[in-house]
Amino acid sequence: EFYCEFRVILPKQGLRWRWSQAHPMRMPDGGTLWHGIILDITDRKLMEEKLEQERILLRTLIDNLPDRIYVMDSQARKTLANIADLRSTGFKKMEDIIGKTDLDVFPPDLAKIYWERDRSVIDSGKPLINFEEPGLDAQGNPSWLLTSKLPLRDMHGYVIGLVGIGRDITERKLAEAELQESEQRFHILYNTMVEGVSLHELVYDDSGRAVDYRILDTNLAFEHITGIVRDRAVGALASQLYGTGKPPYIEIYTHVAE
């Protein structure tokens, strides 16, 4: 008995695929008679080729994206990972990560966070979109990820796992932390310096000429020097705040702004 698939070229139909199954039968004279069936499987083979081309296209796409992309089954075991996800975990070969859960891959503190969120998506069927979470890079250094986890459903709508996408935002988080630290240092300096400082916004008339300015902020020294408390100054027009009619130094401020 044998089974085989083979191609034939027909005069009018061109290339076609066939599937054959045959069984041997021993004849009385000692000879062998083969009998079986041959089926046209061209449509099936064309569909398989199309699916394979789509699989190659999808694989090429996800493996060349910088984001970490992965798929998990209903037990939160990885069934697919792209190159970025593989490298981030420190594994060298795809088969090393397939079948593992976060509990098998990450330190307990991180694994617990990931596991709870994975189970939440799988159990509830509701996605988690663009949330920030801690992570590790390939060298085990702390990192930050912007992550989305989406329920994966079968053709009947039942949740059979999840699809995860993680974008490394470590540089952005470091820049935000540095900016926050810089702002804190600025505010400390701003409020401890002995010189009075106020931040102004010019106010223009319909012709585009600066006619006044609004106080946006002041430091503590400004209050000590002028006797005007910050709550009264912020938001006020200079012409009204100082009671001078004409805003003090309006020409100088206009020149500087221009």
Side-chain angles (χ1 to χ4, degrees):
E1 180 180 10
F2 75 91
Y3 306 85
C4 70
E5 295 179 356
F6 58 92
R7 295 179 297 176
V8 296
I9 298 179
L10 304 179
K12 293 183 178 180
Q13 296 177 295
L15 178 65
R16 307 294 293 179
W17 278 93
R18 298 287 191 260
W19 177 84
S20 176
Q21 177 186 18
H23 300 271
M25 177 182 293
R26 183 69 63 184
M27 303 299 291
D29 61 2
T32 302
L33 174 65
W34 288 87
H35 61 93
I37 59 173
I38 297 177
L39 300 176
D40 187 311
I41 59 170
T42 304
D43 290 343
R44 192 197 80 190
K45 295 296 288 187
L46 292 176
M47 181 61 69
E48 289 175 353
E49 291 176 1
K50 182 179 180 181
L51 290 174
E52 178 63 13
Q53 291 172 355
E54 291 178 351
R55 187 196 69 80
I56 293 173
L57 175 62
L58 177 62
R59 189 80 231 187
T60 301
L61 175 63
I62 67 172
D63 278 343
N64 285 277
L65 290 174
D67 295 343
R68 307 175 186 183
I69 300 175
Y70 50 89
V71 177
M72 292 179 168
D73 64 15
S74 59
Q75 301 302 312
R77 296 172 299 206
K78 281 194 177 177
T79 59
L80 180 147
N82 71 343
I83 291 177
D85 186 61
L86 176 69
R87 290 174 176 170
S88 70
T89 58
F91 288 106
K92 302 298 182 183
K93 296 180 295 183
M94 200 64 67
E95 53 265 31
D96 293 337
I97 195 173
I98 299 302
K100 288 183 169 61
T101 70
D102 292 331
L103 299 173
D104 302 318
V105 176
F106 298 101
D109 54 340
L110 283 180
K112 184 175 184 294
I113 295 174
Y114 299 158
W115 175 262
E116 290 177 351
R117 287 173 177 163
D118 293 343
R119 293 309 320 174
S120 171
V121 172
I122 294 171
D123 294 340
S124 70
K126 297 179 180 179
L128 296 174
I129 304 295
N130 287 343
F131 61 91
E132 295 180 359
E133 62 180 358
L136 297 173
D137 63 17
Q139 289 72 44
N141 300 312
S143 65
W144 280 95
L145 298 172
L146 183 65
T147 300
S148 293
K149 297 189 177 188
L150 316 170
L152 179 64
R153 301 179 183 273
D154 63 15
M155 64 179 66
H156 304 293
Y158 295 109
V159 176
I160 57 174
L162 66 82
V163 177
I165 305 172
R167 173 166 297 179
D168 192 317
I169 57 170
T170 306
E171 291 187 3
R172 193 196 81 187
K173 294 290 288 185
L174 291 175
E176 290 175 352
E178 184 176 347
L179 177 60
Q180 183 178 16
E181 184 179 349
S182 176
E183 289 178 344
Q184 290 174 347
R185 290 196 300 265
F186 168 76
H187 283 294
I188 291 173
L189 175 63
Y190 181 70
N191 286 313
T192 56
M193 60 192 303
V194 296
E195 295 84 3
V197 178
S198 59
L199 179 63
H200 302 156
E201 177 187 46
L202 287 172
V203 177
Y204 298 87
D205 62 13
D206 293 339
S207 66
R209 183 174 63 92
V211 295
D212 210 335
Y213 56 89
R214 181 174 287 104
I215 314 301
L216 300 181
D217 196 13
T218 65
N219 67 349
L220 294 176
F222 175 89
E223 179 177 339
H224 295 156
I225 295 171
T226 64
I228 302 174
V229 297
R230 181 179 182 277
D231 289 345
R232 178 183 166 213
V234 173
L237 292 173
S239 58
Q240 299 171 352
L241 179 67
Y242 299 120
T244 56
K246 179 181 178 181
Y249 311 113
I250 183 66
E251 294 84 2
I252 295 175
Y253 295 157
T254 302
H255 177 73
V256 171
E258 296 175 350

